Structures are given as C-alpha cells and as structure tokens.
Amino acid sequence: MVDGAAVVPAGTDPSADVALTEDGFGIQLGKSFAPTQITLYTEPQCKHCADLQFDVGDDIARYIEDGQLVITYRFVTFLDTSSDGNSARASNAVFLAAEPDADVSAADIQVFIQELYLELIFTDPSDEAPIAEVARGGADGVPDQRVPDH
C-alpha cells in the first residue's frame, strides 16, 4: 500500500514543455524529466537537416507529447550569406514562438520547425516571405503576434 501524495521531483515542472536553455541559445521541447534527452545542432537551410525532419519529425513530436523525449534545438546559421539571411530569420522565428509568454505547445513548435525546413529547402534564399507564410498557415499554435512580417 502506498500512502501519501505523489510529488514531482525538485526542479521539474510537469506542465512546462517549451523552454529556453539556461544559456539562451537553445530551445527545449518536452518535459524536463523525459527519459531521453537529445541536443540537435541544426541549420535551417541544410538539406540533410531537412531530411532528418522529413524522416523523423512526426516521431519527434509524438515522443515529445508522450513525455518520452526532450529535444534541444540549437540553431546555426553558417549557410546564410548575410546577417539577415533565411537561416537567421527562421531561427529567430522559432525563438519568438518559444518565448515563455507565447503559450505555444512543444508539438506546435515541432510542426513549425518541420514546415520551415520543407519551405526553406525549396525556396530561393533571397525570398523573405516563406517564414511568415509557414507560421501563419502551418502551426496553428503560433500566434500572429509572434510571426515576423517577412
């Protein structure tokens, strides 16, 4: 017989599934106490990074929702040719969606990331429109005020 109430381990918030890393350079999706935790360094214009999202992005979202996975995205922008290139703008858009007051679920951010990869891989790097279009049309949980105008 078990007597008493269940208590969440110190330092974990079972309701939090989107957080910025302590250093501010990463986005964590999933419950902090998930048994599997991975860090993914990713470039929004990288075809291989896009292949990963196409192949396992839906699985990542499912494992996050099931409380089995925490994934930390750390965006890099080495394929940009300017400081305001598509990779930087895509990364910034994901960080805006992950702000604590945005109230966007981890699953919605994962869908947003997947759709960004799909759009950016097949888009001219000088075209600024796709990021806002993806955020407004794809991930239902990304509020309009969090979407960059371009």
Side-chain angles (χ1 to χ4, degrees):
M1 179 168 123
V2 176
D3 189 20
V7 177
V8 175
T12 61
D13 179 356
S15 64
D17 63 353
V18 177
L20 298 180
T21 59
E22 286 185 26
D23 64 10
F25 295 110
I27 298 169
Q28 292 179 328
L29 304 178
K31 306 287 187 212
S32 61
F33 54 83
T36 304
Q37 301 193 15
I38 60 174
T39 298
L40 184 63
Y41 288 82
T42 187
E43 213 302 349
Q45 296 181 82
C46 171
K47 182 186 179 336
H48 303 292
C49 298
D51 287 343
L52 175 77
Q53 290 297 327
F54 299 151
D55 292 344
V56 298
D58 291 339
D59 293 329
I60 290 171
R62 187 176 67 251
Y63 289 128
I64 288 170
E65 285 184 328
D66 291 345
Q68 298 299 309
L69 173 67
V70 170
I71 185 166
T72 300
Y73 282 100
R74 291 191 176 269
F75 292 94
V76 294
T77 60
F78 57 83
L79 292 177
D80 276 345
T81 57
S82 68
S83 62
D84 64 345
N86 275 344
S87 293
R89 290 182 315 99
S91 300
N92 289 337
V94 177
F95 273 91
L96 285 172
E99 283 289 320
D101 63 342
D103 197 30
V104 180
S105 76
D108 285 335
I109 292 176
Q110 176 60 36
V111 168
F112 181 41
I113 291 169
Q114 287 173 258
E115 292 177 357
L116 277 173
Y117 274 99
L118 178 64
E119 191 63 40
L120 289 177
I121 289 301
F122 298 108
T123 300
D124 178 342
S126 65
D127 185 359
E128 297 181 350
I131 294 169
E133 290 170 13
V134 167
R136 287 191 181 95
D140 294 332
V142 179
D144 283 343
Q145 69 269 21
R146 294 288 171 191
V147 179
D149 291 330
H150 60 281

